[in-house]
Amino acid sequence: MKQLSIMVDLDRCIGCKTCIVACRNHHGLVDHEKAMPGDMSHYLRVESELAGAYPDLSEDYWVVMCQHCKKPPCVKACKSGAIRKDPQTGIVLIDKDTCVGAGKCIEKCPYDVIQFDVAGKFAHKCDLCRKRVIHGQEPVCVEVCLADALSFGEREILLMRADAAGKKVIKKRSSQAILYVKS
């Protein structure tokens, strides 16, 4: 099985959150008339870490999304069978029509990236924009990244590209499908 992945270059990510806005708009996650800050669904988020001591400070930013785990705990937790790992792409998918809204997948996700639609009573999350990907397009977050910090492709090819560019994989963050790299 090939594993489709996103590689996040920490040297390039500026924490602008354009990826979040584009993802929300593409997937229709926000009711722009009623949405309140801090109460909006999201398939990804930007985190940061400050390092050093004044005046020599540096800050790394990175995007956190569904990691499309090798052995997804959400799949095991879902008793209705609504969550599966696609054998062709490695993408973890949720079938909202099969989802019974038990929420066990949300509890078991170690990355806190599964959302719950209260009105529709189903779980949902990043699927690497599967509908775009199967037609040869990149996920929306990758397409709109202002700093070219996100790359999309097969995991093994992304690893080769990172190595060729002199980037090191941050192993503690890159144990699943999403890769985090830095010089």
Side-chain angles (χ1 to χ4, degrees):
M1 168 181 69
K2 70 178 176 183
Q3 175 65 62
L4 293 179
S5 300
I6 290 179
M7 181 169 64
V8 182
D9 186 339
L10 275 63
D11 293 324
R12 298 195 62 90
C13 184
I14 58 173
C16 68
K17 301 180 183 172
T18 301
C19 53
I20 295 172
V21 174
C23 176
R24 281 180 175 154
N25 287 337
H26 178 75
H27 294 288
L29 296 177
V30 177
D31 178 345
H32 292 285
E33 290 182 16
K34 299 176 185 168
M36 296 299 291
D39 194 31
M40 294 186 250
S41 286
H42 58 280
Y43 287 168
L44 44 101
R45 65 183 182 272
V46 174
E47 294 186 355
S48 65
E49 181 176 72
L50 193 61
Y54 180 81
D56 297 316
L57 294 171
S58 67
E59 190 164 16
D60 282 337
Y61 299 94
W62 63 92
V63 180
V64 178
M65 61 196 74
C66 177
Q67 301 290 300
H68 301 280
C69 300
K70 293 173 188 165
K71 295 180 181 176
C74 59
V75 171
K76 189 174 181 180
C78 180
K79 301 304 179 201
S80 71
I83 306 176
R84 66 180 178 83
K85 187 166 179 82
D86 181 2
Q88 301 299 316
T89 62
I91 298 172
V92 177
L93 303 165
I94 299 177
D95 179 357
K96 72 177 188 176
D97 296 326
T98 309
C99 180
V100 296
K104 297 296 182 191
C105 58
I106 296 168
E107 294 171 15
K108 291 295 182 180
C109 177
Y111 301 99
D112 193 29
V113 294
I114 301 175
Q115 303 291 298
F116 189 74
D117 184 303
V118 176
K121 297 185 175 120
F122 63 87
H124 56 108
K125 63 166 200 62
C126 167
D127 63 1
L128 292 179
C129 291
R130 184 177 179 275
K131 289 180 182 173
R132 290 175 53 93
V133 168
I134 60 174
H135 294 291
Q137 297 176 296
E138 295 180 322
V140 170
C141 59
V142 175
E143 183 178 282
V144 303
C145 183
L146 298 173
D148 288 328
L150 303 178
S151 303
F152 175 73
E154 289 184 39
R155 187 176 197 277
E156 293 307 314
I157 293 171
L158 290 174
L159 286 169
M160 288 187 283
R161 285 177 39 198
D163 187 51
K167 302 285 183 175
K168 303 285 184 221
V169 174
I170 300 172
K171 293 191 187 298
K172 70 178 181 176
R173 288 199 183 108
S174 304
S175 62
Q176 306 297 337
I178 308 304
L179 302 168
Y180 297 90
V181 299
K182 187 173 176 78
S183 294

